[in-house]
Amino acid sequence: MLKHELKALTEQEAEESRKKYGSNMLTPPEQTSFWAALWDNFRGDALIRILTVALIITLIFAFLGLGDWLEAVGIAIAVVLATTVSTYSEYSNNQLFQKLQDEYSRIVCKVFRKREGSVQVCDIQTDNIVTGDYVLLQAGDKIPADGVIVDGFIKVNQASLNGESEEASKRPADEDFVFNPEEIDFLNEHKLYRGSVVTSGEAIMLVKCVGDQSQFGRLAQELKEEDDRESPLKLKLGKVADAISKFGYIGGTLIAVAFMINCIFFNPTLLPGAETYLSAANLMQIFRDLVSSITLAIVIIVVAVPEGLPMMIALVSGLNMKKLLKDNILIRKIDGAETAGSLNILFSDKTGTITKGALQVVNYFSAEDKEYNSFNAIPEKMQKMLLVNICGNTNAVCLVNNGKLQVTGGNITERALHEFVGVQGTLDYEAAKLETGESLMFNSANKYSANEIKGPFNRAVIKGAPEKLLKNCKYYYDENMEVQPLTDAIRTRLDERMAVLANKAMRVLAFATSANPIGEYLLEDLTFVGIVGIRDELRPEAVEAIRTAKKAGIQVVMVTGDKKETAAAIARDAKLIETGDDIALTSDDLNAMSDDELKKILPRLRVVARALPTDKSRLVRVSQELNLVVGMTGDGVNDAPALKKADVGFAMGSGTEVSKEAADITILDDNFNSLVKTVLYGRTIYNNIRKFIVFQLTINVSAVLIAFIGPFIGLGTPLSVTQMLWVNIVMDTLAALALGGEPPLARYMDERPKRRDESIISKNMWSSVLTVGAYLTAASLLFLLHPFFRSLFRLDGPEIYPGMDMYFMTGFFCFYVLSAMFNGFNARTDKVNIFEHIGENRNFIYVMLLIAVVQVLMTFIGGPILRTAPLTISEWGWVVLFSLVILPIGTLRKLIFPMREKHQ
């Protein structure tokens, strides 16, 4: 009998309810157009802004005939490519996640509506359900709104909301039951929440809360909060951009001043009739020199800014996104993977992430306390007895199709038992064709189920709570299925075994048989068969992945809706809890602490049990206030707000669309090990970017120093404006391709996580930039000034500077370019062996060869524009030989300044 009078709504009443309480349709996430995303990326990147300013200035000078259109085109291409590639990658990936609204609008529910004077069960789309509707719920249905159960009995899986894999029982509430939508209580046996799944039974729900007002809807709305927290990479690159721009501005100004000082004092160019440089008759020459000095300064600024860096970031991220997709890792945001490499702390969901997300029979114990870890390991006679106890006492239906077991119906415990028996066990039971009689289904009062087996067996098989069955057992079966007396010693040993299993967070189920029929005397003189330990088992790969994460300096905290004892047991097995200093808290413990108290114990925190969605968001916020880079994994609606707020959110592929919408990365195979791969790829991206910065800054530092010193030693501009632009364009673009493909190395997981405020340029990198940059500067000046080097080249070309003809200056230009190219081998690894893992990045070799070929080609076609002329084989031999010297210089630096960025 219904505890509530079923007052089905008419269509008119439903429309009035919709106007009063709102629609059940969830407000879809706001979509960003491609052009809006492109503009945001264009505005938000400091390097792009600097390049844009340089582009505008270059265009102005080119338009006035005082600059080079080639450089303007080069900068424009770099800006367009960098912003377009990164924006397109993010935009296209985001489209994969915009399915939540469509998915729910397609779901049809059975709703009681009053039509034509009678109450009818109608198929109505989820979006059209209103407050006050009565919904018929059956096994397999997704609950479409928040409400209260008014008739029937069901079990629901609320894991997507509270993270608990254990099914919750729901029963009718009295008519005076008050449903307060502000009180979130997933354990309340009368309340139902949208997003849960009915696993068994049938019931009628009265809808109390719809759409955005439901718990599901409120969690979804939290995802719309704008997150203005910059990724660690953008933060670091912003600082680098500021530093580089200052270096470029100061360097450009000093070089412009040096150029004018050279014009005035060291190398005056006087117009006819001018007695001194600073005279009225020489005004036109002064103006030309001023324009030349400003042009040179602009070029230096452009050279100093590595315009290939934004493009390199987009390129290396795009390449790694494809590699990650092959490993079942889908990157939604282009900086998501790199951010993963900087993680300091990771808050991980338990169910389906660290554990398999489904109950499994872990082991079976006979009455003699012998352990068996698989059904096939059990002795044959005992195996047959257990098979009858499992398959002969169930309300699940088992089918074997194409060699695979399909279990429908029953609860998760029974499904776990059938999975334990497996395909062969199921076939063996079916072949026996045992006749069954009267049965007794499990209920919470009896705590057991039973079924009579006819024929030769002629006994009732019983399964249920051990404390209920064991006390009624007088006998037990040995391995040969001989009946033996159940002594106190055996009973004590079984009690101890069950206590051990309970401490491991296992659910214990006992099996027994009775010679009595189902009825009053069923439980008298039972014969004990054995017990099984059932648990949501750990993923084997998750244990190793957690070990690797800890080795990488990442603190892993398991956040779960399970009770504390269960969570702690899982954490111990997963090696999250290993010492007495490791802390496990409940949600209540957490809420009793202030933020300051939580910050003090956070480094020792390993488990948060009975967690609420607000706990997860708070943990992320508090960790970020400590300047930590925070990660969050999850698969349920309850995880979505924390996934959104974290620096990087990992959603599981089998999780809800809301969680995927919130996350930066989706682990398609639900494999915790894939998450660790993401961290490795993130660190690879970070290290490859640093390699490019070392490579490029070495060129920038030496080019600026050479341009600054040249005028003071009578060399004017050893590298012409167009030559510097050529070096900048070629080295920036091609080096990005070469270094962007460097492979992921296991040793990156030994490095300590990078602090959020840590400079991307380390001391080791500075030692490389300054040491090799100083060598390249000194070697270039020595090449230009020492007579020995001049004697190696022909002296019959057009003279550029006194004693320096076109061939010699071409030789110097090629020496500089090839030295920079060979330094790429130094920059690609911090090891002495410059060829380490080079076979895993063949593009590096191809790109370096391309640079060399293009440079040779430019000596033939560059002419006056690049100030080059073809060299002989002998001259090329000397150029290559001197260029190779940079390799031992780089090796010597590594020996003097070894890498010290290991995990601490």
Side-chain angles (χ1 to χ4, degrees):
M1 180 178 177
L2 283 171
K3 291 194 174 184
H4 296 241
E5 183 183 354
L6 201 157
K7 299 177 182 178
L9 301 178
T10 63
E11 294 302 328
Q12 183 179 349
E13 290 171 333
E15 186 60 34
E16 291 173 356
S17 176
R18 185 177 293 108
K19 292 177 181 178
K20 183 176 180 180
Y21 299 107
S23 166
N24 198 36
M25 182 183 295
L26 297 175
T27 303
E30 185 177 349
Q31 302 298 309
T32 302
S33 69
F34 173 80
W35 299 109
L38 183 67
W39 175 244
D40 287 341
N41 282 344
F42 187 82
R43 289 185 309 160
D45 196 309
L47 286 171
I48 293 294
R49 290 198 299 269
I50 294 171
L51 285 173
T52 304
V53 172
L55 173 61
I56 292 171
I57 296 173
T58 306
L59 283 172
I60 292 172
F61 276 91
F63 183 77
L64 295 174
L66 305 173
D68 193 335
W69 286 100
L70 179 64
E71 174 59 14
V73 171
I75 297 175
I77 290 173
V79 171
V80 171
L81 282 178
T83 52
T84 304
V85 169
S86 62
T87 303
Y88 179 76
S89 297
E90 285 189 14
Y91 182 80
S92 60
N93 281 334
N94 274 331
Q95 300 309 299
L96 298 176
F97 294 86
Q98 307 305 325
K99 301 176 180 177
L100 182 62
Q101 188 69 15
D102 290 341
E103 177 187 344
Y104 269 89
S105 65
R106 288 194 299 267
I107 294 177
V108 175
C109 300
K110 293 181 174 63
V111 180
F112 293 91
R113 285 280 174 89
K114 196 170 185 179
R115 292 177 176 176
E116 298 177 357
S118 63
V119 176
Q120 302 176 11
V121 178
C122 308
D123 289 334
I124 294 178
Q125 287 191 343
T126 298
D127 286 351
N128 295 327
I129 290 173
V130 298
T131 299
D133 266 332
Y134 288 88
V135 180
L136 177 63
L137 299 173
Q138 297 172 313
D141 288 346
K142 270 190 178 180
I143 296 173
D146 293 358
V148 59
I149 188 169
V150 297
D151 184 55
F153 175 86
I154 57 174
K155 288 192 174 183
V156 297
N157 185 327
Q158 302 178 127
S160 67
L161 290 163
N162 66 356
E164 288 193 47
S165 58
E166 187 173 349
E167 295 169 339
S169 298
K170 302 292 181 177
R171 64 186 68 255
D174 293 329
E175 194 165 1
D176 58 355
F177 178 81
V178 177
F179 185 98
N180 185 348
E182 301 301 322
E183 293 180 1
I184 308 303
D185 184 4
F186 297 115
L187 299 180
N188 188 293
E189 62 181 4
H190 307 306
K191 286 185 175 182
L192 297 172
Y193 291 94
R194 179 173 184 163
S196 303
V197 178
V198 180
T199 57
S200 63
E202 185 172 291
I204 297 174
M205 177 187 74
L206 172 60
V207 176
K208 291 286 189 179
C209 221
V210 294
D212 293 340
Q213 301 306 312
S214 66
Q215 176 64 9
F216 186 101
R218 279 182 284 183
L219 289 170
Q221 291 309 303
E222 284 191 44
L223 308 184
K224 298 178 184 178
E225 296 178 4
E226 289 297 325
D227 184 8
D228 57 359
R229 184 174 167 90
E230 288 188 324
S231 73
L233 180 62
K234 285 188 176 180
L235 197 66
K236 291 176 172 66
L237 289 178
K239 293 180 180 179
V240 170
D242 291 341
I244 289 175
S245 60
K246 289 177 183 177
F247 171 74
Y249 297 147
I250 293 171
T253 302
L254 290 176
I255 288 169
V257 171
F259 183 88
M260 290 307 298
I261 291 174
N262 178 66
C263 290
I264 295 171
F265 297 106
F266 298 100
N267 188 28
T269 50
L270 302 179
L271 291 177
E275 297 179 359
T276 63
Y277 185 82
L278 297 174
S279 65
N282 203 42
L283 283 179
M284 185 57 67
Q285 185 61 43
I286 293 173
F287 176 74
R288 289 177 181 172
D289 289 342
L290 277 172
V291 170
S292 296
S293 67
I294 294 173
T295 303
L296 182 59
I298 294 299
V299 170
I300 291 300
I301 292 172
V302 172
V303 169
V305 177
E307 59 258 44
L309 185 54
M311 185 173 65
M312 192 267 186
I313 294 168
L315 182 68
V316 73
S317 297
L319 288 173
N320 282 283
M321 283 168 70
K322 292 180 180 178
K323 292 177 183 178
L324 283 164
L325 191 56
K326 291 180 181 178
D327 284 329
N328 294 306
I329 303 162
L330 178 62
I331 308 297
R332 181 187 178 198
K333 296 183 179 177
I334 200 164
D335 57 358
E338 186 283 324
T339 306
S342 301
L343 284 181
N344 301 117
I345 187 168
L346 173 65
F347 294 104
S348 175
D349 186 32
K350 175 186 74 70
T351 306
T353 306
I354 294 176
T355 64
K356 294 179 179 179
L359 291 182
Q360 284 187 310
V361 175
V362 179
N363 38 36
Y364 169 77
F365 293 90
S366 68
E368 295 168 324
D369 200 35
K370 292 185 178 180
E371 180 179 3
Y372 305 96
N373 295 319
S374 70
F375 184 73
N376 291 332
I378 300 172
E380 185 177 354
K381 290 182 179 180
M382 184 180 291
Q383 192 180 88
K384 290 180 179 179
M385 173 61 75
L386 183 60
L387 189 62
V388 174
N389 274 263
I390 291 175
C391 295
N393 181 16
T394 182
N395 63 348
V397 177
C398 302
L399 299 173
V400 177
N401 288 325
N402 298 322
K404 293 184 179 180
L405 180 65
Q406 295 179 346
V407 184
T408 57
N411 57 31
I412 56 173
T413 302
E414 290 189 334
R415 288 195 289 273
L417 291 171
H418 285 289
E419 291 290 344
F420 180 67
V421 166
V423 172
Q424 191 57 50
T426 303
L427 292 174
D428 290 344
Y429 181 78
E430 290 177 352
K433 296 183 178 179
L434 297 176
E435 183 183 351
T436 59
E438 190 174 347
S439 64
L440 176 67
M441 301 307 295
F442 178 89
N443 62 65
S444 57
N446 290 336
K447 295 186 177 179
Y448 67 87
S449 66
N451 198 6
E452 294 177 359
I453 307 295
K454 302 294 186 179
F457 192 83
N458 197 30
R459 295 182 72 85
V461 291
I462 309 166
K463 72 171 185 290
E467 65 274 14
K468 183 78 172 181
L469 301 187
L470 189 57
K471 68 180 181 181
N472 292 301
C473 290
K474 287 189 177 181
Y475 311 99
Y476 75 92
Y477 292 102
D478 62 16
E479 287 188 358
N480 296 315
M481 288 298 98
E482 298 291 335
V483 177
Q484 306 292 344
L486 187 66
T487 63
D488 290 341
I490 293 177
R491 197 182 303 275
T492 300
R493 192 162 59 237
L494 286 171
D495 286 337
E496 291 173 350
R497 171 59 61 188
M498 289 187 289
V500 170
L501 295 176
N503 286 335
K504 291 183 178 180
M506 289 190 183
R507 181 182 300 175
V508 183
L509 196 64
F511 300 93
T513 69
S514 174
N516 301 319
I518 291 177
E520 183 180 354
Y521 303 105
L522 175 65
L523 297 186
E524 289 187 2
D525 302 334
L526 298 181
T527 303
F528 189 80
V529 176
I531 58 174
V532 291
I534 305 174
R535 186 172 72 172
D536 184 3
E537 189 67 344
L538 281 172
R539 290 180 178 270
E541 66 275 11
V543 179
E544 177 62 23
I546 288 171
R547 186 193 68 80
T548 303
K550 292 171 73 174
K551 180 184 174 185
I554 301 171
Q555 179 185 348
V556 181
V557 181
M558 187 173 75
V559 184
T560 175
D562 280 344
K563 60 184 180 181
K564 184 177 179 180
E565 293 76 14
T566 301
I570 292 290
R572 282 191 291 269
D573 288 348
K575 306 302 181 185
L576 281 175
I577 294 180
E578 295 186 285
T579 70
D581 290 335
D582 295 333
I583 296 176
L585 300 176
T586 65
S587 176
D588 290 340
D589 297 331
L590 206 63
N591 291 328
M593 293 181 176
S594 66
D595 284 355
D596 289 337
E597 290 172 328
L598 178 56
K599 288 175 183 177
K600 289 179 181 178
I601 63 100
L602 187 63
R604 296 187 291 129
L605 185 61
R606 299 293 179 266
V607 174
V608 178
R610 292 298 189 199
L612 298 173
T614 51
D615 296 328
K616 299 180 181 184
S617 297
R618 182 188 179 201
L619 287 166
V620 171
R621 175 180 56 79
V622 168
S623 299
Q624 289 177 337
E625 288 175 1
L626 290 171
N627 212 29
L628 300 175
V629 180
V630 184
M632 169 73 186
T633 73
D635 56 4
V637 178
N638 63 314
D639 299 322
L643 287 170
K644 180 75 172 180
K645 292 178 182 178
D647 291 291
V648 57
F650 301 89
M652 296 298 131
S654 63
T656 63
E657 294 303 311
V658 171
S659 66
K660 296 174 190 177
E661 174 70 36
D664 305 288
I665 297 169
T666 298
I667 308 298
L668 298 175
D669 61 356
D670 288 9
N671 194 327
F672 198 88
N673 191 50
S674 297
L675 188 148
V676 176
K677 284 184 183 178
T678 311
V679 175
L680 174 59
Y681 273 100
R683 293 190 174 191
T684 300
I685 292 171
Y686 186 81
N687 278 285
N688 288 353
I689 290 170
R690 296 176 97 184
K691 291 172 184 178
F692 176 81
I693 290 173
V694 168
F695 176 82
Q696 190 61 45
L697 286 187
T698 301
I699 297 173
N700 295 353
V701 167
S702 61
V704 171
L705 288 175
I706 291 169
F708 177 72
I709 296 172
F712 291 103
I713 57 176
L715 296 177
T717 54
L719 291 170
S720 69
V721 170
T722 52
Q723 284 177 343
M724 281 191 286
L725 297 177
W726 172 253
V727 170
N728 197 48
I729 292 172
V730 172
M731 291 301 177
D732 265 11
T733 306
L734 295 182
L737 287 168
L739 295 171
E742 284 297 299
L745 304 177
R747 68 168 179 264
Y748 293 156
M749 297 301 284
D750 293 332
E751 298 176 1
R752 60 176 176 79
K754 303 300 183 288
R755 297 191 316 275
R756 184 176 176 82
D757 59 350
E758 182 176 337
S759 172
I760 196 171
I761 306 180
S762 65
K763 292 180 180 179
N764 186 274
M765 293 169 67
W766 276 123
S767 76
S768 177
V769 170
L770 297 178
T771 301
V772 181
Y775 157 75
L776 189 53
T777 303
S780 297
L781 295 176
L782 181 65
F783 191 104
L784 289 166
L785 296 175
H786 201 285
F788 169 74
F789 295 99
R790 298 186 190 182
S791 68
L792 301 176
F793 296 86
R794 288 166 288 168
L795 298 175
D796 56 351
E799 189 173 72
I800 305 299
Y801 296 108
M804 302 180 188
D805 69 354
M806 179 74 81
Y807 296 114
F808 174 71
M809 294 307 293
T810 299
F812 166 71
F813 177 44
C814 293
F815 159 76
Y816 185 84
V817 170
L818 293 184
S819 293
M821 181 200 75
F822 285 127
N823 189 47
F825 288 86
N826 290 327
R828 66 170 293 272
T829 177
D830 52 28
K831 299 297 182 182
V832 172
N833 178 14
I834 60 174
F835 300 108
E836 180 198 34
H837 297 287
I838 199 166
E840 298 175 50
N841 183 17
R842 296 185 182 276
N843 279 343
F844 179 87
I845 300 173
Y846 300 149
V847 169
M848 292 302 160
L849 287 174
L850 179 62
I851 291 174
V853 170
V854 170
Q855 185 60 29
V856 173
L857 184 62
M858 284 301 104
T859 62
F860 287 93
I861 64 175
I865 298 176
L866 273 181
R867 204 172 71 185
T868 58
L871 299 178
T872 65
I873 296 295
S874 172
E875 289 168 339
W876 270 115
W878 288 113
V879 168
V880 173
L881 180 64
F882 297 143
S883 301
L884 286 169
V885 176
I886 202 168
L887 294 177
I889 294 296
T891 300
L892 185 62
R893 183 208 64 84
K894 292 173 185 177
L895 293 172
I896 297 173
F897 304 103
M899 185 74 171
R900 291 194 178 92
E901 293 187 56
K902 299 298 180 186
H903 169 58
Q904 298 174 348

